Amino acid sequence: MESFYQDVLRRIKKASEIIKLPEQIEEVILNPQRIIQLSLTLKRDNGNIETYKAYRVQHNDAPGPFKGGIRFHADTDLDEVSALATLMSLKNSVVNLPYGGAKGGIGVDPRSLSEAELERLSREYVNAIHNVIGPRKDIPAPDVNTNGQIMAWMADQYSLLNNNYLPGVFTGKPMNFGGSFGRDIATSFGGIVVLEEFLKKEKKLIKKQNSEITIAIQGAGNAGANAARILSKKGYKIIAISDSKGGILNKNGLKIEAILDEYQEEKRKDSSVTITESGGEFQKITNKELLELTVDILIPAALENQINNENAKKIKTKIVLELANGPVTFDANEALFENKVTVLPGILANAGGVVGSYFEWVQNNSGDRWSKEDVLGKIETKMKEAFADLDLVKTKLKTDYHTAAFASSILKLQEAMKTRGRI
Ligand code: GLU
């Protein structure tokens, strides 16, 4: 099977062919500007020494400083981080942010660490990369299994190393250390703006009231759980949700608020709990079964490579909203397109997170603080504009949203490199 990075490179090649991008420029985009590979040493609470592989891949900074999250996951490796860094450059271009793309990660299961160990490892990571990050160089943020607390430790470590208060070097921080209202729900909020813009445009696709529109969500982390909460407030019927250990289904609709309240409360006490242990009326299903449910909208909000050659033909939905990065593989995207399933691509659909980060960074740079309504209003405007732009490109190129998003962002990246005289 192809790796995640090879899959992303294939998409770039396909889009480049459509827009007739010169091969030499394609070569620039296929290669990250800088790849950092580290071995981090952690002294465990019991005195044992452990070594973890860690990475920061800086893909392209022609449009502005590098920007992109940091994930902690046992399976994180250089291939994955390179794919995600490349996607970040394209994502930032799709939503017209003045940023290039980067991504970082540590190959660790954070649930295996105590809080003190997690803090030491987070600070160690910053010690190792502090020379190449900065509020005007590279601005990391949360991603899978990282959160505001981890960003706070990292931003504090960076500030200590520079003997300066520099919160703008990380985004997704807590509210009392330069965080922004709305950043916590920004990914989901932005994705739902895109979804509803699409539904407004394709009125005939689902001719139902919100309360009859069925939705399944894979993932109950920041993106999945907040999406479930927002969609349920808007009256949609969430029939299934999962975490990494399994999922729950109620065809009449889950009482999602109550289930998530309990799940998140329990998870704070014990990070190994699963959503299937929550109270409520539902049957247990596997993640595989969740993806193959008959629903109007399917939201993969966990990891990459979830809808692939093996299950693409079994997907029974009208719309896939990619809240995760790269959940639908290249081949699966082609198969879904053939089966008339619309995939709203992650580099637009989950860009609300980095748009929220951008507004946090602007506030850090100006020392200002905006209200939640202000921030969400600004995110909504950006996402609507980006969707309208992408829709035009899609019509012009007569292709699917995925390919159109890659094509238009590659063109923007090319323009930025030209303007700066890099190509
Ligand atoms: N990790 C998020 C993403 O993949 C957010 C990145 C950011 O805010 O820089 O888009």
Side-chain angles (χ1 to χ4, degrees):
M1 204 184 67
E2 250 182 356
S3 77
F4 182 23
Y5 190 34
Q6 284 166 338
D7 195 85
V8 169
L9 297 183
R10 241 174 109 196
R11 289 161 204 254
I12 294 177
K13 287 178 194 158
K14 178 183 176 189
S16 300
E17 216 176 289
I18 293 180
I19 55 175
K20 301 196 170 54
L21 190 78
E23 224 168 89
Q24 295 168 2
I25 304 200
E26 186 183 324
E27 202 53 34
V28 177
I29 295 173
L30 292 175
N31 289 286
Q33 281 175 222
R34 184 189 270 145
I35 294 175
I36 297 166
Q37 265 203 83
L38 307 156
S39 266
L40 298 184
T41 307
L42 173 72
K43 192 185 248 180
R44 301 292 301 258
D45 295 341
N46 63 9
N48 285 352
I49 304 291
E50 268 174 42
T51 322
Y52 297 99
K53 292 267 171 283
Y55 315 89
R56 185 75 184 165
V57 174
Q58 298 177 323
H59 176 260
N60 193 306
D61 70 347
F66 297 108
K67 177 103 193 75
I70 297 169
R71 70 170 54 176
F72 288 179
H73 195 283
D75 297 336
T76 289
D77 60 14
L78 183 59
D79 184 275
E80 180 187 59
V81 178
S82 304
L84 293 166
T86 309
L87 287 178
M88 276 316 301
S89 286
L90 303 177
K91 187 187 305 190
N92 292 332
S93 286
V94 168
V95 283
N96 300 309
L97 295 179
Y99 290 139
K103 202 81 169 198
I106 306 183
V108 63
D109 177 359
R111 287 171 303 191
S112 68
L113 303 181
S114 70
E115 173 143 322
E117 290 167 343
L118 197 57
E119 176 174 352
R120 288 202 293 280
L121 190 62
S122 301
R123 290 185 185 273
E124 202 46 44
Y125 180 67
V126 175
N127 289 342
I129 63 164
H130 76 276
N131 277 329
V132 297
I133 61 169
R136 303 272 167 191
K137 275 191 213 171
D138 181 355
I139 306 131
D143 196 79
V144 172
N145 292 335
T146 52
N147 55 27
Q149 179 59 70
I150 292 173
M151 295 307 111
W153 291 326
M154 290 189 174
D156 182 64
Q157 190 65 16
Y158 183 82
S159 294
L160 288 171
L161 288 167
N162 287 279
N163 193 23
N164 223 332
Y165 177 72
L166 294 163
V169 61
F170 284 84
T171 56
K173 301 180 297 295
M175 288 306 296
N176 60 1
F177 185 21
S180 169
F181 288 113
R183 175 62 185 88
D184 50 350
I185 62 163
T187 308
S188 318
F189 176 81
I192 292 162
V193 170
V194 170
L195 173 68
E196 292 195 321
E197 285 301 288
F198 174 71
L199 290 176
K200 228 192 290 171
K201 195 188 148 247
E202 299 291 334
K203 283 197 189 65
K204 286 189 216 125
L205 189 64
I206 306 177
K207 281 196 241 148
K208 293 183 196 171
Q209 306 283 341
N210 280 9
S211 61
E212 291 160 6
I213 298 182
T214 54
I215 302 182
I217 303 176
Q218 186 198 34
N222 177 287
N226 284 315
R229 285 185 191 274
I230 299 172
L231 288 164
S232 128
K233 273 208 191 79
K234 285 175 168 273
Y236 293 93
K237 191 192 276 187
I238 315 289
I239 68 159
I241 190 162
S242 65
D243 61 20
S244 61
K245 297 193 176 125
I248 56 179
L249 164 71
N250 181 338
K251 290 203 168 137
N252 298 317
L254 292 164
K255 291 210 167 48
I256 201 72
E257 292 280 341
I259 291 169
L260 286 173
D261 283 350
E262 182 189 333
Y263 172 60
Q264 290 176 330
E265 175 70 33
E266 292 304 313
K267 212 167 164 96
R268 265 189 285 276
K269 291 184 239 159
D270 172 7
S271 60
S272 68
V273 297
T274 152
I275 199 154
T276 62
E277 291 163 5
S278 307
E281 264 174 61
F282 52 71
Q283 69 185 85
K284 292 185 190 179
I285 53 170
T286 62
N287 264 298
K288 186 173 174 289
E289 287 164 341
L290 181 142
L291 294 172
E292 294 169 16
L293 288 171
T294 303
V295 279
D296 294 308
I297 301 163
L298 177 64
I299 307 185
L303 292 171
E304 59 267 14
N305 189 23
Q306 298 302 299
I307 301 176
N308 48 37
N309 271 334
E310 270 155 43
N311 60 0
K313 295 215 166 73
K314 297 183 202 150
I315 300 298
K316 296 181 272 301
T317 186
K318 299 189 182 80
I319 303 168
V320 177
L321 179 74
E322 285 193 321
L323 272 193
N325 286 309
V328 179
T329 65
F330 179 94
D331 287 333
N333 185 57
E334 307 275 301
L336 291 174
F337 185 61
E338 252 168 53
N339 288 345
K340 302 204 163 38
V341 178
T342 300
V343 179
L344 294 168
I347 58 172
L348 170 68
N350 70 40
V354 71
V355 173
S357 279
Y358 167 66
F359 290 124
E360 178 177 329
W361 180 74
V362 171
Q363 290 171 82
N364 290 153
N365 293 340
S366 65
D368 206 353
R369 168 154 288 178
W370 308 336
S371 70
K372 184 170 176 179
E373 289 66 42
D374 269 359
V375 177
L376 293 181
K378 286 179 201 292
I379 296 175
E380 186 174 342
T381 306
K382 271 234 165 264
M383 299 306 289
K384 282 185 176 168
E385 281 170 6
F387 176 77
D389 282 358
L390 179 60
D391 206 51
L392 284 178
V393 177
K394 175 185 169 274
T395 311
K396 198 170 140 207
L397 297 180
K398 296 191 185 65
T399 184
D400 59 296
Y401 279 111
H402 235 293
T403 310
F406 270 65
S408 80
S409 56
I410 289 169
L411 284 171
K412 287 181 197 170
L413 213 49
Q414 181 192 17
E415 281 312 304
M417 289 191 288
K418 259 195 200 150
T419 304
R420 291 183 71 159
R422 293 188 178 183
I423 52 171

